[in-house]
Amino acid sequence: MKPNTIRALLDSGEPTIATRILIGDPLVVEIVGKTGMFDYVEFLAEYAAYDLRSLEEFCRAAELSSLGSMIKVDWEHRSFVAQRAVGAGFDSVLFADPRSAEDARSCVRCLQPDTPEHGGTFGVGARRHALPGYGGTPRYVEALDEVVVAVMIEKAEAVENLDEILAVGGIDMIQWGPADYAMSIGRAGDRDSKAVKDAELRVLSACREAGIPARAEISSPEQASYYLDLGVRHFSLGTDLFTLYDVLKHGGEQLREIVGAG
């Protein structure tokens, strides 16, 4: 079974840099890998169209490109998708929308091995990550234990229950979600308001105190400085569709001005 790239970086205390992908085509993953600038790619399955076979192709492309891989999953059917994603080869699962410690515990448990020691619900599966012949072996159990479990803090209830959530064993990374949080407090679209930024500071501070790495999603490298000052060392830069839109819109505007097009 392959090494877990993201786990190795976290365990060594190294910073990590990722980018987010909505276009599930393996070619996009390969292009990210060819830049040589990223440690892993995150597939936004919460928003994207995909099937189980495409998850395997995504992971093959990541592995061939020397990239780690993360998948962000919907709250509904989270256990099924998370387990099938790990079976396809994903190194990490990011769970959207937990609201309580029990919610967070369910996320961790579905990825932990089904052994007396771990108490999880992930059993033996003859899936891609376990072929050939690793299913049910000690190495199979070790590999499941290495999967990086990340959870979003993005709901008002999650912030209210933050200390209890962070006390759940097995959480490896926290991602703040300002857009969902703003909506959950009745201020949809107001992700940069003082109320939202204050909640973000509370979350990042609590993560530092709990010793759980926090990751920041940024749209430009310059935004990293703010988070570095807050102790954040893990970043996700941009999203493929939004990056494509920004580049084409900016370039198109410039070209139209140069050629005098209306």
Side-chain angles (χ1 to χ4, degrees):
M1 299 181 74
K2 71 180 182 67
N4 188 310
T5 301
I6 306 175
R7 170 64 65 191
L9 289 168
L10 288 178
D11 288 351
S12 66
E14 294 293 321
T16 62
I17 298 176
T19 189
R20 307 200 304 165
I21 292 177
L22 273 161
I23 306 171
D25 193 312
L27 182 58
V28 178
V29 179
E30 290 180 315
I31 291 298
V32 173
K34 287 182 183 297
T35 69
M37 295 293 108
F38 297 91
D39 299 305
Y40 67 97
V41 285
E42 176 189 348
F43 179 49
L44 296 175
E46 184 187 15
Y47 316 125
Y50 66 94
D51 59 26
L52 296 180
R53 185 176 296 278
S54 67
L55 296 183
E56 293 190 354
E57 298 302 332
F58 188 100
C59 290
R60 286 191 182 96
E63 292 160 21
L64 290 171
S65 304
S66 300
L67 291 166
S69 53
M70 172 186 281
I71 184 170
K72 184 179 183 183
V73 299
D74 283 291
W75 182 249
E76 295 296 332
H77 308 298
R78 61 192 177 281
S79 296
F80 171 78
V81 176
Q83 291 188 1
R84 292 306 299 257
V86 169
F90 279 91
D91 296 315
S92 175
V93 178
L94 174 61
F95 292 91
D97 302 336
R99 299 169 186 265
S100 67
E102 185 54 38
D103 286 349
R105 195 171 292 110
S106 73
C107 297
V108 173
R109 191 164 180 258
C110 79
L111 291 181
Q112 287 182 325
D114 186 4
T115 69
E117 176 188 358
H118 297 89
T121 61
F122 204 131
V124 177
R127 298 177 183 135
R128 177 175 176 268
H129 73 140
L131 298 175
Y134 284 105
T137 65
R139 176 61 189 126
Y140 178 84
V141 173
E142 290 174 5
L144 293 182
D145 201 29
E146 290 169 0
V147 173
V148 174
V149 179
V151 300
M152 298 289 301
I153 299 295
E154 56 183 343
K155 301 297 185 181
E157 297 97 319
V159 174
E160 293 168 5
N161 298 317
L162 182 60
D163 293 337
E164 292 83 0
I165 292 174
L166 296 181
V168 171
I171 296 176
D172 300 300
M173 184 180 287
I174 293 293
Q175 174 66 57
W176 167 244
D180 266 81
Y181 181 76
M183 184 174 179
S184 75
I185 62 172
R187 304 185 64 165
D190 202 8
R191 57 183 294 165
D192 293 318
S193 67
K194 185 177 185 302
V196 175
K197 298 303 287 185
D198 285 349
E200 178 184 50
L201 290 175
R202 179 186 170 192
V203 169
L204 297 181
S205 176
C207 287
R208 288 197 308 272
E209 293 177 9
I212 298 176
R215 189 185 73 162
E217 294 172 356
I218 57 177
S219 56
S220 70
E222 292 77 18
Q223 293 174 349
S225 296
Y226 170 81
Y227 291 101
L228 285 169
D229 290 342
L230 297 174
V232 176
R233 302 181 72 232
H234 304 280
F235 295 91
S236 182
L237 175 64
T239 304
D240 55 355
L241 282 182
F242 302 149
T243 299
L244 182 63
Y245 172 84
D246 289 342
V247 170
L248 291 177
K249 186 174 189 300
H250 180 65
E253 288 174 345
Q254 288 185 313
L255 182 57
R256 284 185 168 278
E257 183 176 346
I258 290 170
V259 303

